[in-house]
Each structure stands twice: as structure tokens, then as C-alpha cells.
Amino acid sequence: MTAVLEVSDIKKRFGGIHAVDGVSFEVREGEILGIIGPNGCGKSTLFNCILGQLQPSEGEVKLDGRVTTGMRPCDINKLGVSRTFQLLQIFPKLSVRENLILAAQEHKGTMMSRLFGPRDAGLNGAADQMIAFFKLTHLADELAGGLSYGQQKLLDAAMAFMAGPRLVLLDEPAGGVNLTMLGNLRDRLKAFNEERGATFVVIEHNMDFVMSLCTRVLVLAEGKVLAEGLPAEVRANPAVIEAYLGH
Amino acid sequence: MSEAARTRLNYAGVAIALAFLILAPLEFHRYGIYILSQWAVMTIAAIGLNLTLGYAGQVSLAQGAFVGIGAYCAAILTTQGWPLIAAIALALVLCFVIGWLLGYPALRVQHHYLAFVTLAFSTLAFLVFRNESWLTNGTEGIDGVPRPTVLGLSTTPHLYYYYFCLFMLALVTLATLGLVRSPWGRAFIALRENPLRALSLGVDTRRYILMAFAIGSALGGLAGALYAPLVGLVEPPAFTLTLSLNLLMMVIVGGSGYFLGPFLGGLVAVLLPEWLRVVDNYYLILYALLVMGLLIYSPTGLIGIVDRFLVDRRTRAASAARAAASASIERP
Ligand SMILES: Nc1ncnc2c1ncn2[C@@H]1O[C@H](COP(=O)(O)OP(=O)(O)OP(=O)(O)O)[C@@H](O)[C@H]1O
Ligand SMILES: [Mg+2]
């Protein structure tokens, strides 16, 4: 199997803090890789380095064998990689539908066709499908800012899928989401993975969520990889229990 | 209110406004027509600023400078015998390019820092208008800017020039409406609301920021090119920071980021001072108090008040519908 994402020896320093301190891993096509680790161990910083929000101090990122370190986030996104952020990031003054159309409009046509072409950039149908898929149909034309936190969280995730990405990085998708919604979200993600072959990397503190969703788990501690393996292996690893899981 | 009813209401509103704008001046004095022409011209500049600031969220205190650049384009060219249309074309292109360049600082700094950068540009432009006498005739300014002949008709009478300005305003309105309703408009709003997320969704924020500055500034230039023949005399004091601040106030008082904001804000900024002339020296104070009162009551401007009213009605209608639905469930 080919590696969709290869991360080699990424380091990121903030002043004296080594937030990410030499992390390497690979993600293969169709995988759902979980990343866990204590607060402040560098998970979000790692995502930011992979997707261009931050420039790593050292190291290299490859997507489909192509080096992407130094590229801008919008260009990396156009290679078929999307993400969500740890803190909710939606556009409150746009409707749910508009949020979703925005999430894909830059992937179609040119600047000119977006200026003179149809208002929805031909994406209304796709947006409706995504809205139905995430069970938000009754809210399609509401302003996103008026949705509940959990609903906004679903919208946030839905936006990441709008452009039909091959690889999606999710930073704590389950944070603040209630149990029913959580099951719903997990089913949606699994369906995307199975039906469309999308590959995921998921940062998450909710262990049940990670264990029931991920095919492989990477454990970070203090900016370094502490362990890596199947969910069951990781859960049984004494070093992981010591550093993260407790008891 | 249903979608169709709202559309009908919109059309009715537009028809009434248009009828007023076309017919009212027939009853006006020369001065009234002049004031209304000024409204049309300054509204074009405010529409431009509303794109940059209201939609794309990029603070600019330089719109008055672009009006100045456009006005000097028109004054210099038409007094040399060029047709106004050539001056308009030059003003559009020149201000587009300069606006584009002014957008570069916005890629690095935001909010009040950006305000200072654009303020510096505004000052720079004023110094050029005043000091480069070989081009601008310095403090004396350029007098006798002629009005154009349109379709064989001289627009020297105020009324005819007013119709010309109104026509240009209509063109700008339609073009801007097309723009803000296109995917570009959505990208501008995304830029304003959450640039980090927009960038992660493939929105080339750099290109859209530059475009927002360039297009907004070009409209400022167009307004300037129409302003010069309106007043006939183009001199530096007309294009100081005060004009930029006035335009900013039009956008904010009308409703920043709302399509109709600049039209209403323009009305307030151009007409209110005229009406308040009766109170003589106190008019500026009264004007300032009125504006402050409005913004405290409705930070989203005049349109914000209308919007709130409509939302209230919709919520009330929705809760009435819900109440009716639950009542029919309880009564089997
Ligand atoms: N922009 C920044 N400037 C300075 N320090 C930063 C910055 N971003 C992160 N850090 C530091 O880097 C370290 C790692 O932060 P990061 O957000 O990656 O942790 P995390 O693993 O995502 O934690 P959590 O589980 O709480 O989300 C922390 O010590 C944090 O204080
Ligand atoms: Mg984090």
C-alpha cells in the first residue's frame, strides 16, 4: 500500500519550547490513524506543520510522494487534503449551505469562472447531499452562527469533506459533542472511509471514540512518538498507561 | 413572509426608489439637484469602500484619496480636451492598480495597524495633490472642469448631469450586486469572518484581499472622475482624511457589509447636514450626536435596524406556527 502522507522528523520550536521534537510517521491509503497524547504534547502543532499553518523548524512532509513543506495552506488543500481545527472554525454569518458551498468552490473552475459563473458554483446539489448526510437538512438555510455547538461541530466536519478530499485531518472532532451525536459522527466518518476510501488522521482525547474508529494509533508525549500500533496494543502498552491513560 | 413575497417586496422597493430618484429632481431647485448628484457620486465611492471594508473586512482610511486620484484624472484630462470617458477609464485602471498595491500591507497587518498604513497613504496622496504643481496645479487646483456631452446632449445643466451620475450609479449597483452574489462575494465574507479557516478550505486569501482593495479603490476612482465635472473645481483640501472618514461613516452608518448600506449612509451623510443647516453653528454637534445615538442603538447601522425588525417578525411567525402545530397535536 502506498503512503498518502509521510512525515519525516518534524520539529517545531516556539522560543525554548520544543512543541514537536522529531516526529516521523506514515499514513497509508484508507487508514484511520488516531493520534493521542496528554495536553500540550504537540498534537495540534503537528497538524499545523503538516498543513502549512505553521512552518516546521526542521523536517519534511510529503503528500503522495511530493514534498509540500513550505506550501501555503490553500495550495495544500487543493491537493486533496482538508482539516478541521481544535477550536470550532465556521463562518457564522453565512448559512449552513453557504458554508458548505464555500468549502468547495475554490476547487472548481478559475477566478474568472467564479466571478461570472453561477452563484452556487454548481455546488448546490453537492451541498444538499452533504447536509442530508450529516442530518442537518432542517437547518440548511439557517445562519451557521445560530446553530448549537454540536451542530456547528458537525458542520465544521462536513465542510472538511465537501471538496471530496483523499486525506482529512481532524483535530478533536468529538470535543463537546453529546453521546448520540458522537455515535452519529463516528458512523459518518466510518461511512466516508468505507464508501469513498477517504483516509483520516484523527486527534482525540475520547478513548472510546478512538478505539472504535481508528485502525491504528500513534501516541505522542512531550513532542515525541511514544508508541504506535493497533488500538488494543496501544491500550495495553505500559509506557502509554504510565504517560497518558493513567491507573 | 414567503420567498416570493419578499422578492415582490424587493422589486416594489426598488421601483419606488427609482421613480423617486428620476422624478423628484424635476421639482427640485438647482441646489437640490446638485446635492442629489453629490449623493449619487459619493454613494459610488461608499459602495467601493463597503466591498473592501464591509464585505472583505479590510479596514481602509484611503478611500478619499482614491476619489482624489479619480478627480485629478478627470480634471487634468478633460481640461486638455480629452473626453470624460477616457478619464473614467484611466481613473478605473489607475486606482485598480494603486489599490492592488495598497492591498499588500493588508497581507501582513490587520485592523488598526492596517488603518494606519492606509492613513499614511491618504496623507501621501494629499501631499502629491498639493505639492506636485506641474501636474495638479498645486494649492490653486484645477478650475473649469467641463461636463461631458452624452449622446449629443450637453450635461452642463445640473439636471442632465444628475441623470448621467444616476445612470453610472445604476451600472455600479448592478455590477456590484453581481459581484457580491457570485462566489467571490462569498469568499470576501469568508475572508472577513475567518481567514484562517478560509485559507484551509483552498480560498486564496491573498488574491481575494488584493482584489477587494483593487475593486473598492477603482470605484473610489470612478466616483472621483464623476465628482470633478460636478463641482467644476478640483483642489487638494477636498481630498484630505476628512473625506475618507466621511466615506467610512457612510458605510458604517448605513450598515457595513449590507448591500444597501452605502445608499442609506450616503443619504444621511449628504442630506442630513443640509437639513440641519437651520440650526446653524450647532449642526455638526447635532449631526455627531445623531450618529453616535444611532450606532449605540444599532451598531450594524440603519440596515441593521430594518434587519432586526424583519428577523423579529420571522421569529414571531415561526413560533406562532410552532404553537399552532403543538396545539393541533394536543387536540386529537
Ligand atoms: N503559537 C504558539 N506559540 C507559542 N507556543 C505554542 C504555540 N502553539 C503551541 N505552543 C506550545 O506548544 C506546545 C504544544 O501545543 P499543542 O497545541 O500542539 O498541544 P496539543 O497536543 O494539541 O494539546 P491539547 O491536547 O491540549 O490540544 C504547548 O506547550 C503550547 O504551549
Ligand atoms: Mg490540540
Side-chain angles (χ1 to χ4, degrees):
Chain A
M1 270 214 250
T2 49
V4 183
L5 172 67
E6 282 172 72
V7 174
S8 352
D9 203 23
I10 287 284
K11 294 186 181 160
K12 180 70 190 178
R13 284 182 295 272
F14 297 107
I17 302 174
H18 293 258
V20 178
D21 198 11
V23 171
S24 305
F25 66 93
E26 275 186 12
V27 185
R28 291 180 289 276
E29 183 116 44
E31 252 193 319
I32 305 182
L33 174 71
I35 298 184
I36 61 173
N39 291 119
C41 71
K43 304 180 294 296
S44 300
T45 305
L46 181 63
F47 267 21
N48 288 337
C49 289
I50 293 173
L51 291 177
Q53 272 84 25
L54 290 173
Q55 288 308 318
S57 317
E58 277 173 52
E60 191 176 72
V61 179
K62 280 188 192 165
L63 289 166
D64 295 315
R66 175 178 170 184
V67 178
T68 57
T69 355
M71 281 172 69
R72 289 191 301 159
C74 59
D75 297 327
I76 294 177
N77 173 251
K78 288 196 185 113
L79 295 176
V81 188
S82 64
R83 72 169 296 179
T84 63
F85 292 84
Q86 180 165 359
L87 294 176
L88 199 59
Q89 306 283 351
I90 56 162
F91 304 99
K93 296 261 179 73
L94 292 177
S95 71
V96 169
R97 187 193 306 280
E98 297 262 320
N99 268 273
L100 291 170
I101 292 174
L102 178 87
Q105 69 175 35
E106 303 295 321
H107 291 250
K108 295 184 71 181
T110 60
M111 285 297 272
M112 278 304 131
S113 75
R114 285 192 284 277
L115 181 57
F116 295 108
R119 187 176 182 185
D120 67 344
L123 288 164
N124 223 342
D128 275 337
Q129 270 180 15
M130 191 63 69
I131 288 166
F133 192 85
F134 277 89
K135 300 198 163 77
L136 295 167
T137 307
H138 56 298
L139 299 166
D141 295 305
E142 296 296 319
L143 290 188
L147 269 53
S148 79
Y149 183 82
Q151 290 164 337
Q152 291 186 4
K153 203 80 186 171
L154 285 182
L155 173 62
D156 198 8
M159 281 202 282
F161 292 102
M162 253 315 270
R166 305 185 44 209
L167 174 64
V168 184
L169 278 62
L170 301 160
D171 197 344
E172 300 197 20
V177 176
N178 77 32
L179 274 181
T180 330
M181 200 82 96
L182 203 61
N184 188 0
L185 181 65
R186 188 184 47 223
D187 295 344
R188 306 288 96 196
L189 295 181
K190 275 205 157 135
F192 260 108
N193 177 248
E194 282 158 19
E195 291 163 22
R196 309 193 188 185
T199 309
F200 293 131
V201 182
V202 185
I203 294 175
E204 190 46 70
H205 287 295
N206 182 322
M207 288 314 282
D208 293 337
F209 190 82
V210 171
M211 294 300 162
S212 59
L213 177 69
C214 299
T215 50
R216 197 157 60 95
V217 176
L218 190 75
V219 188
L220 294 189
E222 292 173 8
K224 291 189 164 72
V225 177
L226 180 69
E228 185 183 346
L230 297 174
E233 291 170 5
V234 164
R235 200 185 338 224
N237 185 323
V240 176
I241 295 173
E242 166 88 23
Y244 184 53
L245 297 176
H247 319 303
Chain B
M1 215 183 325
S2 74
E3 196 64 40
R6 204 160 36 225
T7 313
R8 257 193 317 249
L9 198 74
N10 281 346
Y11 280 130
V14 169
I16 292 171
L18 213 54
F20 173 81
L21 287 172
I22 291 172
L23 297 178
L26 297 174
E27 293 296 317
F28 278 13
H29 298 294
R30 275 170 55 86
Y31 189 66
I33 295 170
Y34 177 79
I35 291 296
L36 214 53
S37 309
Q38 233 179 12
W39 167 78
V41 168
M42 285 307 155
T43 299
I44 291 177
I47 290 174
L49 182 58
N50 193 34
L51 275 180
T52 316
L53 172 78
Y55 282 90
Q58 307 299 312
V59 181
S60 170
L61 288 177
Q63 190 69 346
F66 288 106
V67 175
I69 293 172
Y72 273 100
C73 280
I76 293 167
L77 285 191
T78 57
T79 50
Q80 309 267 336
W82 289 78
L84 182 64
I85 190 78
I88 287 178
L90 178 68
L92 283 172
V93 173
L94 195 62
C95 290
F96 186 92
V97 172
I98 299 175
W100 179 279
L101 294 176
L102 187 64
Y104 275 91
L107 303 177
R108 304 205 59 100
V109 298
Q110 287 275 300
H111 311 302
H112 45 292
Y113 299 105
L114 184 56
F116 273 106
V117 172
T118 55
L119 182 133
F121 174 78
S122 189
T123 310
L124 180 74
F126 172 75
L127 290 177
V128 170
F129 298 151
R130 202 190 59 188
N131 296 348
E132 301 303 313
S133 304
W134 59 276
L135 185 66
T136 62
N137 205 25
T139 45
E140 282 178 38
I142 300 173
D143 204 357
V145 182
R147 289 199 180 159
T149 300
V150 183
L151 303 172
L153 208 68
S154 165
T155 58
T156 306
H158 278 343
L159 185 65
Y160 293 170
Y161 193 67
Y162 164 71
Y163 283 135
F164 177 64
C165 292
L166 192 62
F167 173 73
M168 296 303 276
L169 175 60
L171 281 188
V172 168
T173 304
L174 289 178
T176 314
L177 197 59
L179 175 65
V180 301
R181 286 189 164 177
S182 76
W184 279 42
R186 195 179 294 116
F188 283 162
I189 295 176
L191 204 64
R192 177 191 76 198
E193 299 268 296
N194 193 339
L196 174 77
R197 179 58 154 164
L199 196 61
S200 85
L201 292 169
V203 178
D204 190 338
T205 47
R206 191 152 75 190
R207 210 182 294 177
Y208 279 111
I209 287 178
L210 295 178
M211 272 295 173
F213 264 101
I215 298 173
S217 307
L219 289 179
L222 171 63
L226 294 171
Y227 173 84
L230 174 66
V231 297
L233 168 66
V234 171
E235 50 181 358
F239 312 108
T240 54
L241 185 63
T242 311
L243 178 58
S244 290
L245 290 176
N246 262 328
L247 289 167
L248 183 65
M249 208 189 58
M250 282 186 199
V251 170
I252 294 187
V253 163
S256 169
Y258 291 96
F259 186 74
L260 289 178
F263 295 83
L264 288 185
L267 270 188
V268 172
V270 174
L271 292 189
L272 208 56
E274 295 302 323
W275 289 335
L276 293 179
R277 256 173 219 283
V278 286
V279 293
D280 214 38
N281 286 337
Y282 296 105
Y283 102 84
L284 265 181
I285 296 174
L286 202 60
Y287 183 49
L289 287 177
L290 279 174
V291 168
M292 282 164 70
L294 169 76
L295 290 181
I296 290 167
Y297 176 66
S298 170
T300 45
L302 289 168
I303 299 279
I305 298 178
V306 179
D307 210 45
R308 214 183 315 169
F309 173 74
L310 289 180
V311 168
D312 267 4
R313 275 185 46 162
R314 210 160 39 152
T315 336
R316 229 175 296 148
S319 58
R322 258 201 308 275
S326 64
S328 71
I329 292 168
E330 279 159 23
R331 246 183 286 116

